[in-house]
Amino acid sequence: MTEEQSYEHEELLTLVANGDESAFRELVMRYSGLLYTYIYKHIESKEATEELVQDVFFQIWLTREALREVRNFRTYLYVVSRNQALNAVKKMMREYQRHLEYQQWEQIPEPEENHLKRELQLSIIEEAIDTAKLFNCFVYIIF
């Protein structure tokens, strides 16, 4: 990397740290493909990958002032993505625990009118568990 390219990169991070939205768009354009490829290799889910990439850049924007101190943005990007993945897995594990508790509670007989509502709720929970399994695979691979 030449000195001029390094300066452009540092300048871009400084502009983003100062809240420049067009600089942030440029940063996203430069790195979203790289991050998408990295995450997709591990979880092989287009939807989950897109959501995680979006979450990572959202987190970077929220903490953009920290970019002034970043010396290696790729490493920083991967650390933020790992943390986002861990947070997603923790959330999904909590949802899974709630699902288990719900299954135990569901053993109690219920009135027929609540049956359809409960089936819908259960299908939503099962979808969340399937998504958690994808992220769980991703977390084991990156560690």
Side-chain angles (χ1 to χ4, degrees), residues 48-64:
T49 299
E50 289 172 354
E51 185 173 334
L52 191 53
V53 168
Q54 185 177 24
D55 290 347
V56 167
F57 281 109
F58 180 68
Q59 185 62 35
I60 289 172
W61 178 255
L62 291 177
T63 60
R64 63 189 172 274

Side-chain angles (χ1 to χ4, degrees), residues 94-112:
R94 285 191 303 268
E95 290 172 358
Y96 177 72
Q97 182 61 37
R98 287 185 200 125
H99 173 70
L100 293 178
E101 292 170 2
Y102 176 78
Q103 282 182 327
Q104 290 175 350
W105 180 73
E106 193 177 49
Q107 300 298 324
I108 300 170
E110 62 184 351
E112 187 62 35

Side-chain angles (χ1 to χ4, degrees), residues 15-31:
L15 289 170
V16 173
N18 291 332
D20 187 321
E21 292 179 18
S22 63
F24 180 69
R25 280 191 292 277
E26 175 66 27
L27 188 73
V28 171
M29 294 299 293
R30 283 188 190 184
Y31 289 97

